[in-house]
């Protein structure tokens, strides 16, 4: 019986050794605890990343929308009356007025972007915010309205800028007789 007991003991030890080596090479999932940190400087950087382009685009839009004359059709003559009929001239005058309205909305929207971003940068610099797990967590928790305003007004301003360019290009192409009226 001693031999049987010894044999069983060796089998048991071998089994324990095999199980232990299997456990040591197996990765067990560990519960992840988020690391809390101060993400206010990163959020400040994100707001500044929106503020500078909005300010630059605003300067360009002010020049394009108000300081530079809107393209005009050539002066009406007997030779070009069939090329630029009165209804086309009336449409181009309407587009000129529309251009001013679009420019006003687009510039205002970009200025709102700059204003919201500047105010939020000041808030992020002046106040102590609770630690968060990411910059996105901080923005969602403490800066959601400002972030939404900055992004939506920036996009609206860019759409307005593209609309201004489109209106100008349309009239310029017609005036150059490079395009037929649409």
């Amino acid at each position: 019986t001693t031999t049987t007991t010894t044999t069983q003991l060796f089998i048991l030890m071998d089994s324990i050794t095999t199980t232990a080596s299997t456990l040591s090479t197996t990765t067990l999932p560990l519960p992840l605890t988020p690391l809390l940190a101060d993400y206010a400087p990163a959020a400040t950087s994100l707001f500044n990343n929106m503020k500078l382009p909005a300010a630059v685009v605003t300067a360009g839009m002010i020049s394009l929308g108000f300081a530079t004359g809107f393209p005009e059709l050539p002066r009406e003559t007997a030779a070009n009356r069939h090329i630029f009929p009165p209804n086309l001239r009336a449409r181009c005058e309407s587009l000129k007025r529309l251009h001013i309205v679009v420019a006003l909305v687009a510039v205002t929207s970009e200025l709102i972007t700059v204003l919201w971003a500047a105010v939020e940068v000041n808030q992020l610099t002046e106040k102590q915010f609770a630690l968060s797990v990411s910059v996105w967590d901080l923005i969602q928790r403490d800066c959601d309205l400002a972030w939404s305003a900055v992004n939506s007004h920036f996009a609206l301003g860019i759409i307005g800028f593209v609309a201004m360019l489109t209106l100008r290009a349309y009239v310029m192409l017609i005036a150059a007789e490079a395009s037929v009226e649409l």
Side-chain angles (χ1 to χ4, degrees):
T1 66
T2 309
T3 311
T4 307
T5 307
T6 307
T7 305
Q8 288 176 341
L9 184 61
F10 280 127
I11 292 173
L12 181 61
M13 287 178 58
D14 187 45
S15 173
I16 291 172
T17 306
T18 304
T19 305
S21 67
T22 304
L23 287 176
S24 67
T25 59
T26 305
T27 305
L28 297 176
L30 299 174
L32 296 177
T33 55
L35 297 176
L36 297 176
D38 180 13
Y39 285 98
T44 299
S45 179
L46 289 174
F47 278 101
N48 280 329
N49 287 346
M50 298 299 289
K51 187 171 57 171
L52 180 63
V56 170
V57 169
T58 301
M61 283 194 294
I62 288 172
S63 173
L64 184 68
F66 303 106
T68 307
F70 192 75
E72 295 182 5
L73 297 178
R75 191 179 319 196
E76 185 176 354
T77 63
N80 70 10
R81 193 166 289 137
H82 69 285
I83 299 172
F84 307 111
N87 65 336
L88 181 60
R89 290 184 180 282
R91 181 184 309 145
C92 289
E93 281 302 312
S94 295
L95 292 176
K96 181 179 182 178
R97 289 189 292 281
L98 177 62
H99 182 268
I100 292 170
V101 172
V102 170
L104 181 63
V105 170
V107 167
T108 301
S109 195
E110 292 298 335
L111 288 175
I112 289 171
T113 299
V114 173
L115 175 73
W116 269 102
V119 168
E120 198 58 33
V121 164
N122 287 346
Q123 289 294 312
L124 286 164
T125 305
E126 294 167 356
K127 287 174 50 178
Q128 182 66 39
F129 289 91
L131 300 178
S132 55
V133 295
S134 69
V135 67
W136 183 239
D137 179 47
L138 173 68
I139 287 174
Q140 282 186 311
R141 187 187 63 216
D142 297 317
C143 313
D144 193 40
L145 180 61
W147 188 247
S148 298
V150 163
N151 282 280
S152 60
H153 279 284
F154 183 77
L156 182 63
I158 293 297
I159 290 168
F161 187 52
V162 171
M164 290 167 57
L165 293 172
T166 303
L167 292 172
R168 295 177 74 82
Y170 175 74
V171 174
M172 288 173 76
L173 288 170
I174 289 175
E177 299 179 48
S179 176
V180 295
E181 70 173 286
L182 298 175

